[in-house]
Amino acid sequence: MSLSAAEDDSASEIHIPADIDWHMLDKSKFFFLGAALFSGVSAALYPIVVLKTRQQVLSTQVSCFNMSLNIMRYEGFRGFYRGFGTSLMGTIPARALYMAALEVTKSSVGTATVRLGFSDSTATTIANAAAGLSSAMAAQLVWTPIDVVSQRLMVQGCQHSSNKNVVPNVRSCRYSNGIDAFRKILVADGPRGLYRGFGISILTYAPSNAVWWASYSVASRLIWGGVGCYMNKKDESDVRGGGCAVYRPNSKAVVAVQGLSAAMASGVSAIITMPLDTIKTRLQVLDGEENGRRRPLTILQTVRNLVKEGGMTACYRGLGPRWASMSMSATTMITTYEFLKRLSTKS
């Protein structure tokens, strides 16, 4: 892919590596290596997800620092990895669905939009947004039940910490592990219990992924454009008579731009979709009471509770950990993902 440094009268061009399409990949190597690489990423970032989830279900604001101290004091280091085994089991098939839907959609929509007469940059943005949307919807078929089980295990430790008085609606049912939680939820609520919050999950992750991939595409082009302008000014004295200086960034520069673009896209996506993520987490974890019996909360009841607890700011509890988690996850994911695609390219 060749990216001009400026649209009109640029004297420099930046040549970045071409995109690798779905048909160019060795699928077995792609999925096998992907499972291994993304499992490692999930393990590294899981403690931040635990902090984010617990902040979202608390009825009062507790800082990440104090919450981390409470977890270490009452639960030890293992408290940061509650539900990780279950999450890891779901990550592999969910990631496989996600990556397949992402690449197939990106390739097909990108080709279709170019044929319709859109410019390369517009076609790329549209294809990335559509790919993010479809991949998130496909992954949720697997991820929602895993999310319900792992999040129940994550917040279970709250009842043993100093936060036990501010999480009144967490189920008193105790789960020894993921399989036990899966069985008890299935017995108590049936299959619907495992897909609790499925609708709001789609409404959260589908737009979030679409916004992220579209923002990532735009941010990447802006950064490369800025690099091109900088190079152009730097070598202005050496370029004469309409000549063109060509730059081929090394792998470190490409990874740095990918990481920065991912962090920028994560910030945009986190701010836009944070209220939906908070509502989703509470729907999957908390219960309400009606005539002395516990019942799943509705979306309307969840919103009312949040507004009563702290207004709109309550919807943004856990924004810091979520932004950090999304930024680190996205930066690691996109660099790992591009590396994975290059490892899996057919010879």
Side-chain angles (χ1 to χ4, degrees):
M1 177 179 177
S2 174
L3 185 65
S4 177
E7 290 184 3
D8 297 325
D9 37 39
S10 172
S12 301
E13 278 189 353
I14 296 180
H15 288 261
I16 58 177
D19 287 336
I20 299 172
D21 291 330
W22 179 246
H23 67 275
M24 300 164 65
L25 297 173
D26 180 333
K27 308 303 186 297
S28 58
K29 186 186 290 186
F30 180 68
F31 288 122
F32 177 77
L33 291 175
L37 289 171
F38 286 112
S39 295
V41 172
S42 298
L45 299 176
Y46 196 78
I48 300 176
V49 179
V50 172
L51 290 175
K52 185 267 302 183
T53 301
R54 291 197 180 191
Q55 279 194 328
Q56 288 177 318
V57 301
L58 296 180
S59 58
T60 59
Q61 182 67 38
V62 178
S63 70
C64 291
F65 180 74
N66 288 335
M67 187 172 290
S68 299
L69 289 179
N70 284 333
I71 292 174
M72 284 299 296
R73 179 181 177 185
Y74 292 98
E75 304 167 61
F77 185 73
R78 291 180 61 185
F80 290 102
Y81 281 88
R82 282 185 177 272
F84 177 67
T86 302
S87 179
L88 188 61
M89 287 175 60
T91 294
I92 296 173
R95 284 289 184 188
L97 270 175
Y98 184 94
M99 291 188 293
L102 183 75
E103 288 300 322
V104 170
T105 305
K106 191 191 295 184
S107 182
S108 57
V109 173
T111 303
T113 48
V114 169
R115 286 176 180 171
L116 289 172
F118 289 94
S119 65
D120 284 347
S121 58
T122 304
T124 301
T125 302
I126 293 172
N128 281 345
L133 194 71
S134 65
S135 58
M137 293 176 71
Q140 283 308 307
L141 292 172
V142 174
W143 192 248
T144 297
I146 298 300
D147 218 15
V148 169
V149 173
S150 62
Q151 287 184 148
R152 295 281 181 91
L153 293 170
M154 283 181 203
V155 301
Q156 193 166 246
C158 290
Q159 302 300 84
H160 296 293
S161 71
S162 60
N163 296 321
K164 60 187 177 182
N165 295 321
V166 291
V167 197
N169 293 324
V170 172
R171 288 198 167 190
S172 56
C173 183
R174 304 299 301 163
Y175 308 119
S176 56
N177 52 49
I179 295 174
D180 181 53
F182 183 89
R183 181 180 60 81
K184 287 179 178 176
I185 293 170
L186 199 60
V187 169
D189 303 322
R192 289 183 62 184
L194 293 171
Y195 277 90
R196 193 164 161 177
F198 178 71
I200 196 70
S201 294
I202 294 293
L203 290 175
T204 300
Y205 292 118
S208 176
N209 270 264
V211 169
W212 191 92
W213 281 103
S215 301
Y216 174 77
S217 175
V218 173
S220 182
R221 289 191 64 82
L222 287 174
I223 294 170
W224 281 122
V227 171
C229 289
Y230 170 76
M231 292 294 188
N232 186 32
K233 289 179 180 179
K234 184 179 178 182
D235 294 343
E236 213 169 30
S237 58
D238 299 328
V239 180
R240 293 290 185 268
C244 181
V246 177
Y247 298 96
R248 299 184 183 278
N250 58 29
S251 58
K252 290 181 180 178
V254 172
V255 168
V257 171
Q258 288 173 345
L260 182 57
S261 301
M264 292 169 64
S266 297
V268 174
S269 181
I271 290 172
I272 291 174
T273 60
M274 186 65 202
L276 287 172
D277 188 67
T278 301
I279 293 168
K280 174 197 72 71
T281 300
R282 287 194 164 215
L283 280 174
Q284 292 178 329
V285 172
L286 302 183
D287 286 327
E289 285 197 15
E290 186 178 321
N291 299 325
R293 297 180 60 187
R294 286 184 174 270
R295 292 182 179 276
L297 290 167
T298 64
I299 293 177
L300 186 59
Q301 288 173 329
T302 303
V303 172
R304 283 176 179 169
N305 289 343
L306 280 167
V307 172
K308 188 185 297 182
E309 289 169 14
M312 279 302 296
T313 56
C315 296
Y316 282 88
R317 283 184 189 143
L319 177 62
R322 185 167 189 250
W323 191 330
S325 174
M326 284 184 68
S327 295
M328 288 189 286
S329 177
T331 301
T332 310
M333 182 272 290
I334 198 65
T335 52
T336 303
Y337 186 63
E338 294 296 340
F339 176 65
L340 169 65
K341 286 170 70 174
R342 300 196 183 284
L343 283 179
S344 307
T345 306
K346 295 175 183 175
S347 48

